[in-house]
Amino acid sequence: EIHEINIPGTVEYLGEGAFMGCSSAEMISVASGNRNYKVDSGALYSADGKTLLAWPAAGSSTYSVKEGTERIAYGAFANAVFSDVVLPEGLKIIDNYAFYNCNDLNLPVFPESLEEIGMYAFDLSLGQDADEHILAEYQINLGSSFSYLGKGAFGGYMRKVITVSEDNPHFSSKEGILMNKAGDALIEGRSTAVTSLYFRKEAGIQF
């Protein structure tokens, strides 16, 4: 098991999602002199601070993404065991798989500046730890700048209620369901009919 991730000063490039499988990691550090990466409040960032690249999966139970962050990268928080994250105004993109399999995570408040949420960004696994998320109702508010929702972005959050700003040129919402602007095509809905994990697995239902 990997508990610490140490990035040498000579490293120039890290592929996004490089640490997705390090579920026991408690700390990430970057050696002094590295011009491409830095650690801020425990998270790995690009040197300019605009992209959050990774969070140690076994780190703190809460985290506030720092001001100035514009993008949360592919798989940055995947498999993390934490309950709450605060997203700053100015954040524009939550990339694919960014919070994938974070079974204890309460959905955050999304900033007005948010433009994109990628595929499976908040998708949950089918493990027993996901029970409370199936039963709970989550309010998802999307602002006027929002323009893209990837496939399965909120998979596992069955009782999600989605609203979108009336000024949004791309989407509308009706009774908690995300629609296209014209209101004649369903983009993302919710289900209250699924009552057990067993049924979901056996029926092969995806949302």
Side-chain angles (χ1 to χ4, degrees):
E1 295 183 349
I2 298 175
H3 296 283
E4 295 184 14
I5 298 171
N6 303 302
I7 300 170
T10 54
V11 172
E12 297 181 358
Y13 174 76
L14 287 169
E16 293 189 5
F19 307 122
M20 281 180 68
C22 300
S23 59
S24 298
E26 299 174 351
M27 185 181 76
I28 300 175
S29 65
V30 176
S32 60
N34 191 303
R35 299 181 179 180
N36 302 291
Y37 303 102
K38 66 180 181 179
V39 170
D40 190 302
S41 302
L44 178 67
Y45 283 86
S46 56
D48 62 8
K50 293 183 178 180
T51 301
L52 193 163
L53 296 162
W55 167 258
S60 171
S61 62
T62 62
Y63 182 67
S64 294
V65 176
K66 77 181 192 69
E67 296 290 334
T69 302
E70 296 182 359
R71 184 170 74 95
I72 296 176
Y74 178 103
F77 288 89
N79 303 305
V81 183
F82 73 145
S83 58
D84 294 287
V85 63
V86 178
L87 305 178
E89 191 60 46
L91 180 68
K92 297 179 180 179
I93 299 172
I94 298 175
D95 220 326
N96 301 341
Y97 295 92
F99 293 89
Y100 177 74
N101 201 28
C102 294
N103 287 343
D104 295 327
L105 180 65
N106 298 309
L107 284 177
V109 174
F110 296 109
E112 174 68 24
S113 59
L114 188 64
E115 298 174 3
E116 301 179 13
I117 298 177
M119 293 189 303
Y120 306 108
F122 291 90
D123 189 32
L124 300 174
S125 75
L126 296 178
Q128 293 298 323
D129 291 341
D131 275 333
E132 66 181 81
H133 293 287
I134 291 175
L135 297 174
E137 182 171 280
Y138 286 88
Q139 184 75 39
I140 299 170
N141 301 309
L142 303 174
S144 58
S145 301
F146 194 77
S147 60
Y148 175 76
L149 183 68
K151 176 183 177 182
F154 298 110
Y157 292 90
M158 297 301 171
R159 299 182 63 209
K160 50 189 174 285
V161 178
I162 304 175
T163 60
V164 63
S165 169
E166 292 182 358
D167 298 327
N168 190 297
H170 307 286
F171 301 107
S172 63
S173 59
K174 182 178 181 181
E175 297 180 359
I177 296 173
L178 185 65
M179 313 285 288
N180 65 350
K181 188 61 178 179
D184 56 9
L186 186 151
I187 306 298
E188 182 83 8
R190 61 173 177 164
S191 173
T192 57
V194 180
T195 58
S196 72
L197 289 166
Y198 176 82
F199 182 80
R200 285 175 64 197
K201 290 180 180 179
E202 295 302 309
I205 294 175
Q206 296 183 356
F207 297 86

